[in-house]
Amino acid sequence: MKKQTVQDERVLAQNLKIGSDTGHLLLLILFISILIQKYLLNASFAQYAVELIAFLGAAFYIIMRNVTLGNDIFQTGKKAKNMVVTTSVFCGIIVTIINGIFNYLKYAEHYTGSLGFFMVTLAITFISATAAAFIIFFIVHLLNEKKKKQIEKKLNEDENKGDEDGDKDFADLSSIK
Amino acid sequence: MKNKRMKIARIEKDLNQKDLAKAVGVTRQTIGMIESGNYNPTLKLCLAICKALGKTLDELFWEEKK
């Protein structure tokens, strides 16, 4: 007779959590490593290309996996559209701040007198970063909504099919009791 | 294994999957997967579903005698 061993679900859940936290930590370290190599060490693209590809690949995997499973990435309805805009603006601000800091550190001597050119640079960076982020997030949002509709349609079909068997289910249950 | 008892309890309460999901605080997909037997809910979720449907754990989630 085969002995059935019970898996300790608490330990399993802890192991999964540790794995998840490790993944998040690695992503953060990758991001910081790319910033340090690019802006502080002035490394060539070839030197941090692997980290960049790994970071972008992991981010892409996380997003697409959630999309294909039908998980909400940006909430639902009107809130989703607001979140797309808010997230795009937030990304634009972050990119502008990072770029602005390193740009000023690198080219401070060129910004003598007025900071007009610097402000224009920041404005262009903000607009283009926000626009690029908006396009990407909007596409992800559209894919997410499309997948959620497919899943809803399948659930509706299953529910309607189940309703047809409803009388049989009631009969089965009454016979068990 | 499909959870027919949960589905029937839900229909008795005149709730669709979306209503039950909202009452419990999960997505409709989760309720659908529990009913179709494709997801094992935690005890906490089972209790929340029982509370929403006014049933006991035994009535909804205990193993059916063959």
Side-chain angles (χ1 to χ4, degrees), chain B:
Chain B
M1 205 171 76
K2 281 189 181 184
N3 196 331
K4 293 177 187 176
R5 287 176 291 175
M6 180 178 150
K7 185 172 180 178
I8 288 166
R10 176 174 61 77
I11 293 166
E12 279 174 1
K13 274 257 177 178
D14 204 24
L15 294 172
N16 56 29
Q17 287 181 340
K18 199 175 177 180
D19 295 332
L20 179 58
K22 201 174 176 183
V24 169
V26 295
T27 61
R28 189 218 162 154
Q29 196 181 349
T30 302
I31 297 294
M33 287 175 80
I34 294 171
E35 286 184 0
S36 62
N38 291 319
Y39 178 68
N40 278 332
T42 59
L43 183 58
K44 194 176 171 182
L45 181 52
C46 287
L47 288 170
I49 291 169
C50 288
K51 195 177 174 183
L53 296 177
K55 298 282 183 185
T56 63
L57 272 176
D58 275 0
E59 285 170 320
L60 294 186
F61 295 104
W62 199 250
E63 283 176 338
E64 281 181 29
K65 288 177 187 174
K66 289 183 183 176

Side-chain angles (χ1 to χ4, degrees), chain A residues 49-113:
Chain A
V50 174
E51 280 109 320
L52 186 64
I53 290 166
F55 178 78
L56 292 175
F60 180 77
Y61 175 79
I62 288 168
I63 289 168
M64 291 319 290
R65 190 83 197 269
N66 275 295
V67 165
T68 50
L69 288 172
N71 293 336
D72 277 330
I73 296 182
F74 294 112
Q75 305 225 9
T76 49
K78 234 180 188 177
K79 274 185 185 173
K81 286 174 184 165
N82 289 339
M83 267 207 81
V84 169
V85 172
T86 313
T87 317
S88 304
V89 169
F90 181 72
C91 284
I93 291 169
I94 298 292
V95 168
T96 306
I97 290 171
I98 293 171
N99 227 23
I101 291 169
F102 289 113
N103 184 280
Y104 192 80
L105 289 173
K106 206 172 177 180
Y107 302 113
E109 64 271 15
H110 296 283
Y111 297 122
T112 50

Side-chain angles (χ1 to χ4, degrees), chain A residues 7-161:
Chain A
Q7 260 194 323
D8 190 328
E9 58 189 40
R10 184 191 62 86
V11 172
L12 191 65
Q14 281 183 335
N15 286 335
L16 288 170
K17 183 82 172 62
I18 289 166
S20 167
D21 290 343
T22 307
H24 289 136
L25 201 61
L26 276 174
L27 275 179
L28 183 65
I29 291 169
L30 268 177
F31 182 66
I32 293 168
S33 164
I34 291 163
L35 286 180
I36 290 171
Q37 286 186 76
K38 181 173 164 58
Y39 291 108
L40 290 181
L41 302 177
N42 290 318
S44 63
F45 178 74
Q47 285 183 287
Y48 62 84
V50 174
E51 280 109 320
L52 186 64
I53 290 166
F55 178 78
L56 292 175
F60 180 77
Y61 175 79
I62 288 168
I63 289 168
M64 291 319 290
R65 190 83 197 269
N66 275 295
V67 165
T68 50
L69 288 172
N71 293 336
D72 277 330
I73 296 182
F74 294 112
Q75 305 225 9
T76 49
K78 234 180 188 177
K79 274 185 185 173
K81 286 174 184 165
N82 289 339
M83 267 207 81
V84 169
V85 172
T86 313
T87 317
S88 304
V89 169
F90 181 72
C91 284
I93 291 169
I94 298 292
V95 168
T96 306
I97 290 171
I98 293 171
N99 227 23
I101 291 169
F102 289 113
N103 184 280
Y104 192 80
L105 289 173
K106 206 172 177 180
Y107 302 113
E109 64 271 15
H110 296 283
Y111 297 122
T112 50
S114 72
L115 287 172
F117 282 125
F118 182 61
M119 297 309 289
V120 169
T121 309
L122 286 182
I124 292 170
T125 308
F126 175 73
I127 291 165
S128 44
T130 305
F134 180 78
I135 291 166
I136 292 166
F137 290 142
F138 191 70
I139 291 169
V140 167
H141 168 63
L142 284 178
L143 288 171
N144 195 202
E145 288 299 310
K146 190 181 172 187
K147 186 66 187 177
K148 273 160 52 179
K149 275 178 187 159
Q150 277 178 3
I151 290 171
E152 280 279 324
K153 192 182 169 187
K154 176 87 175 39
L155 285 171
N156 286 336
E157 281 170 9
D158 288 345
E159 206 173 355
N160 290 336
K161 187 190 168 206

